Amino acid sequence: MDVTGFVTRARNKALLVGDYALYRRQLSRQLLRLRRKLGRTTPKGRKYIPKPPVTAEDVASNVEFVHLLLLTSERAWAHAMYMKSMHSAGSTGKNISGSTRTHIISRLAKADRVATRLCSLLQDHHVGACAQDVFEACAYYFLMSGALSFEKQSWESCVRVYSEAHLIYTALAKSIDPKRDDLYREILSSTVDPSVRYAAYQLRLPRTLSIDTIVARYVSKESPYLQKLLQIDPDLLSEDNINGQKKSGNETEDLPKTITWRSRTVKLEDAAIAQALASVSIAEQRLSALLSSERGMDGKDKASAYDDVLLPSQDAVDATKTVIDELATDGVSQGDQRMQSLQITRTAVSYALVGHRVGRNRMLFGKEDGAYLEAEKSKRFRKGENDSKQQVAKKESNGRKLTRLRERVVLYDATLQSIDSVGELPGVAADQTFRQELDAKRSYFASLRCLNVARSHALLGNKKNALALYARALSLSSQVLSSRLSNEPADKPPSLDVSVSQAKSLQQLLQSLVSHHRALVELEGLDSSEKEGADRKSWGVPLIERLDDYPHTGVDLGNLVTYPPRLEPVAVKPLFFDIAWNYIEYPGRVKKAAETAVNGGIDSKGNVEEKKESRRGWFGFGR
């Protein structure tokens, strides 16, 4: 029957592209088609007649009657969620009251009634439903009943109902159907556990209580579902869960009670944060064991091993931020002791997360955090004697080297951005000692970034640019050694910490590279000066005509000016000739009448004749 899968697929398909209103319309259309198929609709033109309820015989004969009940319950639930979301979108912080709240409760009550009917039908032995279908239907009923109690603000009833749903989904994921573990865990993390946590908060329960402890305390020991679940999984309500401990395989983890940041130690008052930190501790131990045992792993495999640490670290940061937001919503001031402890916890877990991110990047950098550019191992085949293929080492091209350096620079930029984010954490700006240590670590990775950029310029033949970048990297590495650095243990996975030996090794490498490229630049300058001097002499250009160029090889006193001077063209403004064209006598040019007299002419003897005007009549016509 797949009750959970049917409901989850329908919700995800509709809510992915729309809202609860779209989901409700889709359910209405599906209900109409299914009722027509099952013959439970009123014919057109006839008076409405209430249909008989679904019986166990109907479900035994056709499984689609189960879908009919699920669609009916889901439509009522979607209607309630739509009204609630509309009020939340346009509300001003006030609670839902009046007719709107009554209407929402009535829709949830209908969904609860239909889900109760479905659960009781599947428990009938005439239906022949398997245990998994019965448990999924009961869990769905508890979800609808918990939503109704939540809206009624019956917090104790809400905790009890959701506790039973938590037990059923946990047993389904652990023992009954482990293949669908992700589906059940998603329902627990998105709906059940947040509701249990909020209801426990309303009941003024301590935040140090874990979800398992609350569930074990509030679940009804006389529930028939609990007895069946204990037959399947006897450890479902073991003492470990009641005491706030969680089993993982053959290991039992103790939740930490305190956390230390620098010289301050604070208590962990929230169970979610403690559980996340316990998961981080276990993941760090596994990572250390993996890195110490696997000596033949490459950088990418080691970096992927950090993912198991990054996920719980991010969960710890999110859990801390959630608790801080809840206290701020309740009106707790920043000077409160609980808020101060949570801010310190937030700084500690965030710094640990940044350290794991940087450690993952350092695995991808390569040898000595990317200070050296190792050649890639690439082979190619060529035909040998007797048409046999032989492996021949292929030399890495400069283009491939530049691509690898560009990828490293991107990783260095991400590392520097992560380090800069630490400065925005609470309490970091006021700690001058920590700020100096953080600046030293940033200078270390900035020096490595300049080193790799300089290598790319060296590959391209830009020796001057490479020398400038190497010098900049050397100055940054000197700043690292001027500050206090910790001696990092050898068995600890790489993180944000930089040891003294690493900083000294980088500085020695940069000193040799700076000396090497300074010599290359000097040699290149001498070669270019000699070529330039030879070219100048071959040109024979006197010094007076190249005063804008500095003579690197000295002044040629025998080539100061051109002597004896020779006739050379001089550039004159062309506008002068345009204006004086009619007033300059050029060789081979004869004067025209228009240049000597405007209205006169020239006779055969060269005399100027004046033009006589003829009399004309009115309007220019002659007589």
Side-chain angles (χ1 to χ4, degrees):
M1 296 181 183
D2 192 14
V3 176
T4 305
F6 180 82
V7 173
T8 305
R9 285 192 299 269
R11 289 184 182 181
N12 293 339
K13 183 179 179 181
L15 299 179
L16 184 63
V17 297
D19 54 0
Y20 292 106
L22 176 63
Y23 184 37
R24 182 190 173 199
R25 290 194 296 268
Q26 290 182 357
L27 292 171
S28 298
R29 291 193 293 268
Q30 294 176 14
L31 268 175
L32 181 59
R33 289 195 299 267
L34 188 57
R35 284 172 178 171
R36 287 175 179 174
K37 184 178 180 180
L38 297 176
R40 299 179 68 85
T41 58
T42 302
K44 188 175 181 180
R46 295 187 183 182
K47 186 178 179 181
Y48 172 75
I49 301 175
K51 298 299 180 292
V54 179
T55 60
E57 290 76 11
D58 295 334
V59 176
S61 61
N62 195 344
V63 182
E64 291 188 348
F65 280 99
V66 175
H67 298 166
L68 179 66
L69 294 175
L70 285 175
L71 292 175
T72 305
S73 176
E74 280 293 290
R75 185 174 67 168
W77 175 83
H79 192 186
M81 294 297 103
Y82 170 69
M83 290 187 290
K84 192 172 181 179
S85 63
M86 289 297 294
H87 183 274
S88 300
S91 64
T92 58
K94 298 181 181 179
N95 295 328
I96 303 176
S97 60
S99 60
T100 304
R101 183 169 182 270
T102 304
H103 197 184
I104 292 174
I105 292 176
S106 67
R107 294 296 88 197
L108 291 175
K110 180 180 179 180
D112 180 47
R113 289 196 303 269
V114 177
T116 305
R117 179 63 180 169
L118 175 63
C119 183
S120 61
L121 286 175
L122 293 184
Q123 289 180 356
D124 195 335
H125 65 279
H126 296 289
V127 175
C130 62
Q132 181 177 351
D133 294 334
V134 174
F135 283 128
E136 287 187 358
C138 294
Y140 179 75
Y141 154 67
F142 288 130
L143 288 180
M144 296 296 105
S145 180
L148 178 61
S149 301
F150 192 95
E151 195 61 37
K152 288 182 177 180
Q153 298 182 2
S154 301
W155 304 119
E156 186 171 356
S157 175
C158 180
V159 172
R160 293 186 183 279
V161 174
Y162 274 122
S163 296
E164 298 205 23
H166 179 91
L167 285 179
I168 293 176
Y169 281 122
T170 303
L172 287 170
K174 183 179 179 181
S175 303
I176 300 176
D177 192 2
K179 296 181 180 180
R180 305 176 67 183
D181 178 76
D182 295 339
L183 177 62
Y184 300 130
R185 295 295 179 186
E186 181 181 359
I187 297 175
L188 286 172
S189 60
S190 61
T191 305
V192 179
D193 291 351
S195 301
V196 172
R197 177 64 65 188
Y198 186 80
Y201 170 75
Q202 294 293 337
L203 291 174
R204 299 295 188 272
L205 295 179
R207 291 180 178 272
T208 54
L209 295 178
S210 64
I211 297 294
D212 294 332
T213 305
I214 297 173
V215 169
R217 179 180 298 183
Y218 278 88
V219 70
S220 177
K221 303 300 186 295
E222 299 177 357
S223 173
Y225 310 109
L226 179 60
Q227 303 301 326
K228 295 179 181 179
L229 290 174
L230 291 177
Q231 294 177 3
I232 298 174
D233 186 6
D235 297 332
L236 196 60
L237 289 177
S238 62
E239 292 296 327
D240 293 333
N241 288 334
I242 295 177
N243 294 332
Q245 298 176 350
K246 189 177 179 181
K247 287 188 176 182
S248 175
N250 296 326
E251 300 176 356
T252 302
E253 55 171 314
D254 295 330
L255 298 181
K257 304 299 182 182
T258 59
I259 186 172
T260 302
W261 167 249
R262 307 288 287 173
S263 59
R264 301 191 61 179
T265 301
V266 296
K267 293 182 179 179
L268 296 175
E269 299 180 357
D270 191 86
I273 301 175
Q275 289 178 350
L277 289 177
S279 301
V280 171
S281 178
I282 292 178
E284 287 178 347
Q285 295 175 4
R286 293 175 179 173
L287 178 63
S288 300
L290 180 64
L291 295 180
S292 60
S293 61
E294 298 292 338
R295 298 295 182 182
M297 295 176 62
D298 58 355
K300 292 183 178 180
D301 294 337
K302 293 180 180 180
S304 61
Y306 272 82
D307 294 340
D308 296 334
V309 184
L310 290 173
L311 291 177
S313 299
Q314 185 64 53
D315 293 339
V317 174
D318 296 339
T320 307
K321 187 177 182 301
T322 301
V323 177
I324 292 175
D325 294 341
E326 290 177 357
L327 291 179
T329 305
D330 295 341
V332 179
S333 63
Q334 294 294 330
D336 189 85
Q337 182 63 32
R338 294 175 296 170
M339 188 67 76
Q340 292 291 324
S341 300
L342 286 172
Q343 295 291 359
I344 295 174
T345 305
R346 179 187 175 186
T347 302
V349 296
S350 299
Y351 182 77
L353 176 61
V354 171
H356 295 318
R357 287 177 180 171
V358 175
R360 181 181 182 276
N361 292 341
R362 294 178 76 172
M363 289 297 179
L364 295 174
F365 290 156
K367 182 180 179 182
E368 297 293 335
D369 293 330
Y372 298 92
L373 184 63
E374 308 90 353
E376 281 190 339
K377 297 180 181 179
S378 58
K379 297 180 179 180
R380 64 179 179 180
F381 293 92
R382 73 175 183 183
K383 288 186 178 181
E385 298 180 358
N386 301 327
D387 295 337
S388 61
K389 293 184 177 180
Q390 299 178 356
Q391 289 185 355
V392 181
K394 182 181 178 181
K395 185 178 179 181
E396 187 178 10
S397 62
N398 287 342
R400 178 56 188 163
K401 291 180 180 178
L402 291 173
T403 302
R404 291 169 53 199
L405 290 172
R406 191 180 300 111
E407 293 174 354
R408 282 188 183 179
V409 171
V410 173
L411 291 174
Y412 286 124
D413 290 336
T415 301
L416 294 176
Q417 185 178 2
S418 299
I419 296 175
D420 292 338
S421 65
V422 177
E424 302 175 359
L425 296 176
V428 174
D431 194 345
Q432 296 296 330
T433 304
F434 179 70
R435 288 290 302 180
Q436 293 176 359
E437 296 178 4
L438 194 64
D439 292 340
K441 295 173 183 177
R442 191 187 190 283
S443 299
Y444 174 77
F445 291 103
S447 175
L448 288 170
R449 182 184 184 278
C450 291
L451 170 61
N452 283 268
V453 176
R455 288 189 185 277
S456 62
H457 281 278
L459 290 174
L460 294 174
N462 301 327
K463 297 182 177 60
K464 292 182 180 179
N465 295 345
L467 176 60
L469 288 168
Y470 282 133
R472 174 60 179 167
L474 181 60
S475 65
L476 290 173
S477 64
S478 302
Q479 296 177 11
V480 178
L481 289 174
S482 62
S483 60
R484 294 188 304 173
L485 296 176
S486 60
N487 294 321
E488 186 179 359
D491 56 346
K492 184 179 179 181
S495 60
L496 192 54
D497 296 331
V498 179
S499 62
V500 178
S501 60
Q502 291 174 340
K504 288 183 177 179
S505 175
L506 177 61
Q507 188 182 34
Q508 293 174 0
L509 174 63
L510 288 172
Q511 286 175 350
S512 62
L513 288 173
V514 167
S515 301
H516 176 70
H517 280 76
R518 183 176 287 118
L520 291 177
V521 170
E522 289 293 336
L523 291 175
E524 185 180 13
L526 292 176
D527 293 340
S528 61
S529 299
E530 292 177 358
K531 292 180 181 179
E532 184 178 358
D535 294 339
R536 295 291 185 185
K537 290 181 180 179
S538 62
W539 294 342
V541 180
L543 180 63
I544 194 171
E545 296 183 12
R546 49 185 178 89
L547 294 177
D548 55 337
D549 294 337
Y550 180 77
H552 297 281
T553 57
V555 179
D556 185 9
L557 299 178
N559 192 18
L560 297 177
V561 295
T562 303
Y563 186 82
R566 59 178 178 269
L567 183 62
E568 295 180 353
V570 179
V572 183
K573 297 180 180 178
L575 184 61
F576 171 77
F577 295 103
D578 293 342
I579 297 174
W581 173 263
N582 297 327
Y583 304 96
I584 298 177
E585 294 183 3
Y586 293 95
R589 181 171 177 271
V590 182
K591 293 184 178 180
K592 295 182 180 179
E595 302 173 54
T596 55
V598 179
N599 297 324
I602 303 175
D603 56 3
S604 60
K605 297 181 179 181
N607 298 324
V608 180
E609 295 180 357
E610 295 183 0
K611 185 177 180 181
K612 298 180 180 181
E613 296 183 358
S614 60
R615 292 186 177 183
R616 293 180 179 273
W618 294 98
F619 305 107
F621 298 100
R623 291 188 292 179

